[in-house]
CSV table of all heavy atoms in Angstrom, one decimal:
chain,number,residue,atom,x,y,z
A,262,ARG,N,75.7,68.5,-23.3
A,262,ARG,CA,74.4,68.2,-23.7
A,262,ARG,C,73.4,68.6,-22.7
A,262,ARG,O,72.3,69.1,-23.0
A,262,ARG,CB,74.2,66.6,-23.9
A,262,ARG,CG,75.0,66.1,-25.1
A,262,ARG,CD,74.6,66.7,-26.4
A,262,ARG,NE,73.3,66.6,-26.8
A,262,ARG,CZ,72.5,67.5,-27.1
A,262,ARG,NH1,72.9,68.8,-27.3
A,262,ARG,NH2,71.2,67.3,-27.5
A,263,ALA,N,73.8,68.6,-21.4
A,263,ALA,CA,72.9,69.2,-20.3
A,263,ALA,C,72.6,70.7,-20.6
A,263,ALA,O,71.5,71.1,-20.2
A,263,ALA,CB,73.5,68.9,-19.0
A,264,ARG,N,73.5,71.3,-21.2
A,264,ARG,CA,73.3,72.8,-21.5
A,264,ARG,C,72.7,73.0,-22.9
A,264,ARG,O,72.5,74.1,-23.4
A,264,ARG,CB,74.6,73.5,-21.5
A,264,ARG,CG,75.2,73.6,-20.1
A,264,ARG,CD,76.6,74.1,-20.2
A,264,ARG,NE,77.2,74.2,-18.8
A,264,ARG,CZ,77.3,75.4,-18.1
A,264,ARG,NH1,76.9,76.5,-18.7
A,264,ARG,NH2,77.8,75.4,-16.9
A,265,GLY,N,72.3,71.8,-23.5
A,265,GLY,CA,71.7,71.9,-24.8
A,265,GLY,C,72.6,72.2,-25.9
A,265,GLY,O,72.2,72.6,-27.1
A,266,LEU,N,73.9,72.1,-25.7
A,266,LEU,CA,74.9,72.4,-26.7
A,266,LEU,C,75.1,71.2,-27.7
A,266,LEU,O,75.4,70.1,-27.2
A,266,LEU,CB,76.3,72.7,-26.1
A,266,LEU,CG,76.2,73.9,-25.2
A,266,LEU,CD1,77.6,74.1,-24.5
A,266,LEU,CD2,75.9,75.2,-26.0
A,267,PRO,N,75.0,71.4,-29.0
A,267,PRO,CA,75.4,70.4,-29.9
A,267,PRO,C,76.8,70.1,-29.9
A,267,PRO,O,77.7,70.9,-29.7
A,267,PRO,CB,75.0,71.0,-31.3
A,267,PRO,CG,74.3,72.2,-31.1
A,267,PRO,CD,74.7,72.7,-29.7
A,268,VAL,N,77.2,68.7,-30.0
A,268,VAL,CA,78.6,68.3,-29.9
A,268,VAL,C,78.9,67.5,-31.1
A,268,VAL,O,78.2,66.5,-31.4
A,268,VAL,CB,78.8,67.4,-28.6
A,268,VAL,CG1,80.3,67.0,-28.6
A,268,VAL,CG2,78.5,68.2,-27.4
A,269,VAL,N,80.0,67.8,-31.7
A,269,VAL,CA,80.6,67.0,-32.8
A,269,VAL,C,81.8,66.3,-32.3
A,269,VAL,O,82.8,67.0,-31.8
A,269,VAL,CB,80.7,67.7,-34.1
A,269,VAL,CG1,81.5,69.0,-34.0
A,269,VAL,CG2,81.4,66.8,-35.1
A,270,LEU,N,81.8,65.0,-32.3
A,270,LEU,CA,82.9,64.2,-31.8
A,270,LEU,C,83.9,63.8,-32.9
A,270,LEU,O,83.4,63.3,-33.9
A,270,LEU,CB,82.3,63.0,-31.2
A,270,LEU,CG,83.2,61.9,-30.6
A,270,LEU,CD1,83.9,62.3,-29.4
A,270,LEU,CD2,82.4,60.6,-30.3
A,271,THR,N,85.2,64.2,-32.7
A,271,THR,CA,86.2,63.7,-33.7
A,271,THR,C,87.2,62.8,-32.9
A,271,THR,O,87.3,63.1,-31.7
A,271,THR,CB,86.9,64.8,-34.4
A,271,THR,OG1,87.7,65.6,-33.4
A,271,THR,CG2,86.0,65.8,-35.0
A,272,ILE,N,87.8,61.9,-33.5
A,272,ILE,CA,88.5,60.9,-32.7
A,272,ILE,C,89.9,61.3,-32.4
A,272,ILE,O,90.5,60.9,-31.4
A,272,ILE,CB,88.5,59.5,-33.3
A,272,ILE,CG1,89.3,59.3,-34.6
A,272,ILE,CG2,87.0,59.0,-33.5
A,272,ILE,CD1,89.4,57.9,-35.1
A,273,ALA,N,90.6,62.1,-33.2
A,273,ALA,CA,92.0,62.6,-33.0
A,273,ALA,C,92.9,61.4,-32.7
A,273,ALA,O,92.7,60.3,-33.3
A,273,ALA,CB,92.0,63.6,-31.9
A,274,GLY,N,94.0,61.6,-31.9
A,274,GLY,CA,95.1,60.7,-31.8
A,274,GLY,C,94.9,59.5,-30.9
A,274,GLY,O,94.0,59.5,-30.0
A,275,GLY,N,95.8,58.5,-31.0
A,275,GLY,CA,95.7,57.4,-30.2
A,275,GLY,C,96.8,56.4,-30.7
A,275,GLY,O,96.7,56.0,-31.8
A,276,TYR,N,97.7,56.0,-29.8
A,276,TYR,CA,98.8,55.2,-30.2
A,276,TYR,C,99.0,54.1,-29.2
A,276,TYR,O,100.2,53.9,-28.7
A,276,TYR,CB,100.1,56.1,-30.4
A,276,TYR,CG,99.8,57.3,-31.2
A,276,TYR,CD1,99.4,58.5,-30.7
A,276,TYR,CD2,99.8,57.1,-32.6
A,276,TYR,CE1,99.0,59.6,-31.5
A,276,TYR,CE2,99.5,58.3,-33.5
A,276,TYR,CZ,99.1,59.4,-32.8
A,276,TYR,OH,98.7,60.5,-33.6
A,277,ALA,N,98.0,53.3,-29.0
A,277,ALA,CA,98.1,52.1,-28.1
A,277,ALA,C,99.1,51.1,-28.7
A,277,ALA,O,99.4,51.2,-29.9
A,277,ALA,CB,96.8,51.6,-27.8
A,278,PRO,N,99.5,50.1,-28.0
A,278,PRO,CA,100.4,49.1,-28.6
A,278,PRO,C,99.9,48.5,-29.9
A,278,PRO,O,100.8,48.1,-30.7
A,278,PRO,CB,100.6,48.1,-27.5
A,278,PRO,CG,100.4,48.8,-26.2
A,278,PRO,CD,99.3,49.8,-26.6
A,279,THR,N,98.6,48.3,-30.1
A,279,THR,CA,98.1,47.7,-31.3
A,279,THR,C,97.0,48.6,-31.8
A,279,THR,O,96.3,49.3,-31.0
A,279,THR,CB,97.6,46.3,-31.1
A,279,THR,OG1,96.4,46.4,-30.3
A,279,THR,CG2,98.6,45.4,-30.6
A,280,PRO,N,96.7,48.6,-33.2
A,280,PRO,CA,95.6,49.3,-33.7
A,280,PRO,C,94.3,48.8,-33.1
A,280,PRO,O,93.3,49.6,-32.9
A,280,PRO,CB,95.7,49.1,-35.2
A,280,PRO,CG,97.1,48.6,-35.5
A,280,PRO,CD,97.6,48.0,-34.2
Side-chain angles (χ1 to χ4, degrees):
R262 294 303 299 132
R264 291 168 180 259
L266 299 174
V268 180
V269 50
L270 175 70
T271 66
I272 70 172
Y276 309 91
T279 65

